[in-house]
Amino acid sequence: MSSSVSPLAPKTVPDMPVIAGVRLATAEAGIRYKNRTDVLLAVMDKGTAVAGVFTRSKCPSAPVEWCRAKLKGGKARALVVNSGNANAFTGKTGRSSTALTAKIAAKAVGCSEGEIFLASTGVIGEPLDATKFDGVLGRLAETAEPGDYLAAAKAIMTTDTFPKVATATVKLGKAKVTINGMAKGAGMIAPDMATMLSFIFTDAPIAPGALQALLKSGVEDTFNAVTIDGDTSTSDTLLAFATGAAAEHGAPKISRASDPRLKAFVKAFNQVLANLSEQVARDGEGARKLVEITVEGAKTKASARKIAMSIANSPLVKTAIAGEDANWGRVVMAVGKAGEPADRDKLSISFNGIRVAKSGARDPSYDEAQVSEAMKAPEIAIKVSLGLGKGRDRVLTCDLTKEYVAINGDYRS
């Protein structure tokens, strides 16, 4: 973890309400570092539904493989997360570590190993000593309490500079239901079906299949529309847990994601995902500027997404923003290399509402001093108009600074 908090960090942290059926506890297990919490145990009541989306990396971590296999059961009793070691690219040793961790957790909670979900974050390629969980998880199961989501978010941090939490409350039927979420991630971030690590909890009574559909849909314009460096992690895991406790207060049991009674819930659920994903962008390693890239006038939304990601992942664009240089030529380059339909002579580009290029050339009213002043802002909005159709999309990223190189140059050492 960094000793200095990102200047883009949220100014306030929300009060995270208790969710019936969820208890949390953290501990120091000495996974990689000393004198810091590095293990989170979340214990859920019986009958809790679970859904998940994971990395599409062809080199997934052992915990990702474990969760994929157990997700078919649709039920969860506990979540174990450790930081400091990703348990990725660890072969048979990694698979043995996940099995042992699940065995220890199942004994501590009093459930089957198939109801245990695991996530690990940190260094790739280093064996994870699962024996360090022995005793720790038993103690955590006994002391877990409804509540401290902020402490839980801190326990799963690696190069993050601040814990990431979000919450929303909404009516479902006659009952009030709560959605709480946490996330970690600052580098190796170009989510593909999920995020680095993120966990969502709700007391809404939603069946596993419906929850899975909501989650899969919700990530597309939130976590999957964020990139820090274009690198998809081996460990990307986003899990959602629904305890169903609100049914006791009149919330209807939901079996289909298309249920019209879910309309307000879906909006709130997606707002939590969007909030967390933006916090990830705000905490990009070494970031000093939050960058929103909007592409409109594309042939399709998918085409707009690819072009926006081409801009967002361009080191030349990102370093220009870090240097507060409105170098729109680099944006033109990124549009042109995306491999999507584009017409140079119809292209327009704006920085923070100031049009710098129009119809394939520099805007006639371009004022270097005005644009340079706008580039000093901590939040930069780049808008690209293609003039080809109605396709539109938006992605978030950050600038690329010398600190990113420093953080990643000695990450293992």
Side-chain angles (χ1 to χ4, degrees):
M1 290 185 291
S2 173
S3 58
S4 59
V5 176
S6 168
L8 303 172
K11 302 304 181 185
T12 60
V13 178
D15 292 327
M16 301 293 287
V18 167
I19 289 183
V22 179
R23 297 181 293 121
L24 305 170
T26 63
E28 298 177 15
I31 300 298
R32 180 172 172 81
Y33 306 105
K34 294 182 179 180
N35 302 316
R36 60 152 291 185
T37 55
D38 54 8
V39 177
L40 160 66
L41 175 67
V43 182
M44 279 77 72
D45 284 355
K46 290 181 180 180
T48 295
V50 61
V53 288
F54 308 94
T55 182
R56 283 183 174 172
S57 168
K58 300 302 182 183
C59 299
S61 69
V64 165
E65 291 183 323
W66 174 275
C67 288
R68 279 178 176 155
K70 305 309 175 188
L71 199 63
K72 298 173 184 177
K75 299 297 181 182
R77 288 295 314 284
L79 166 70
V80 180
V81 189
N82 75 269
S83 59
N85 187 315
N87 195 12
F89 206 69
T90 46
K92 292 182 179 179
T93 300
R95 290 189 288 275
S96 297
S97 293
T98 57
L100 179 56
T101 304
K103 183 178 180 179
I104 295 170
K107 181 180 179 181
V109 175
C111 67
S112 72
E113 294 169 22
E115 296 175 297
I116 302 295
F117 286 80
L118 308 172
S120 299
T121 180
V123 173
I124 293 172
E126 296 288 338
L128 173 63
D129 182 5
T131 62
K132 291 186 176 181
F133 295 121
D134 203 3
V136 173
L137 295 182
R139 184 172 73 253
L140 293 181
E142 293 177 356
T143 60
E145 296 181 350
D148 204 342
Y149 286 85
L150 193 61
K154 288 179 179 178
I156 64 175
M157 290 166 58
T158 50
T159 59
D160 305 63
T161 70
F162 62 88
K164 302 165 183 64
V165 293
T167 186
T169 302
V170 67
K171 290 290 289 292
L172 180 58
K174 297 180 179 179
K176 180 178 73 175
V177 298
T178 301
I179 306 163
N180 284 352
M182 69 181 82
K184 67 80 50 186
M188 198 187 290
I189 293 173
D192 191 0
M193 286 307 296
T195 180
M196 297 47 59
L197 292 184
S198 186
F199 310 106
I200 311 297
F201 303 89
T202 181
D203 53 357
I206 302 177
L211 190 62
Q212 183 67 38
L214 294 181
L215 191 62
K216 186 175 181 180
S217 173
V219 297
E220 289 305 325
D221 289 330
T222 57
F223 282 115
N224 282 357
V226 170
T227 179
I228 301 301
D229 44 27
D231 290 329
T232 296
S233 171
T234 60
S235 306
D236 287 354
T237 297
L238 172 50
L239 294 170
F241 303 93
T243 68
E248 297 180 3
H249 303 287
K253 294 183 178 181
I254 304 295
S255 59
R256 297 177 295 106
S258 59
D259 192 317
R261 295 173 294 182
L262 270 182
K263 185 176 180 180
F265 179 89
V266 171
K267 183 178 180 180
F269 185 81
N270 290 344
Q271 285 176 343
V272 169
L273 296 180
N275 188 315
L276 292 172
S277 60
E278 180 174 316
Q279 289 187 57
V280 169
R282 288 180 175 276
D283 203 18
E285 290 172 340
R288 293 295 177 266
K289 295 182 184 294
L290 177 70
V291 184
E292 178 187 62
I293 299 169
T294 302
V295 174
E296 64 181 19
K299 288 282 189 179
T300 64
K301 175 180 170 65
S303 181
R305 169 67 62 89
K306 289 181 181 179
I307 292 170
M309 280 294 187
S310 179
I311 299 168
N313 284 324
S314 167
L316 290 178
V317 172
K318 292 159 75 70
T319 50
I321 294 170
E324 300 181 341
D325 178 12
N327 193 335
W328 49 268
R330 292 182 175 181
V331 177
V332 173
M333 172 279 299
V335 172
K337 74 169 186 174
E340 292 296 314
D343 184 333
R344 178 198 62 201
D345 296 332
K346 293 182 178 180
L347 191 64
S348 296
I349 300 169
S350 298
F351 286 90
N352 275 5
I354 302 171
R355 193 169 63 193
V356 297
K358 178 187 178 184
S359 302
R362 186 173 69 181
D363 192 284
S365 62
Y366 181 82
D367 183 334
E368 181 75 25
Q370 180 190 26
V371 180
S372 294
E373 184 63 28
M375 295 301 290
K376 295 179 181 179
E379 298 184 10
I380 305 296
I382 299 176
K383 184 177 180 180
V384 174
S385 299
L386 298 173
L388 300 178
K390 297 182 179 180
R392 185 183 188 278
D393 209 351
R394 163 190 174 274
V395 302
L396 293 176
T397 188
C398 60
D399 55 346
L400 180 60
T401 67
K402 294 178 181 178
E403 190 177 350
Y404 178 89
V405 178
I407 290 169
N408 287 284
D410 61 3
Y411 181 65
R412 280 189 74 249
S413 54

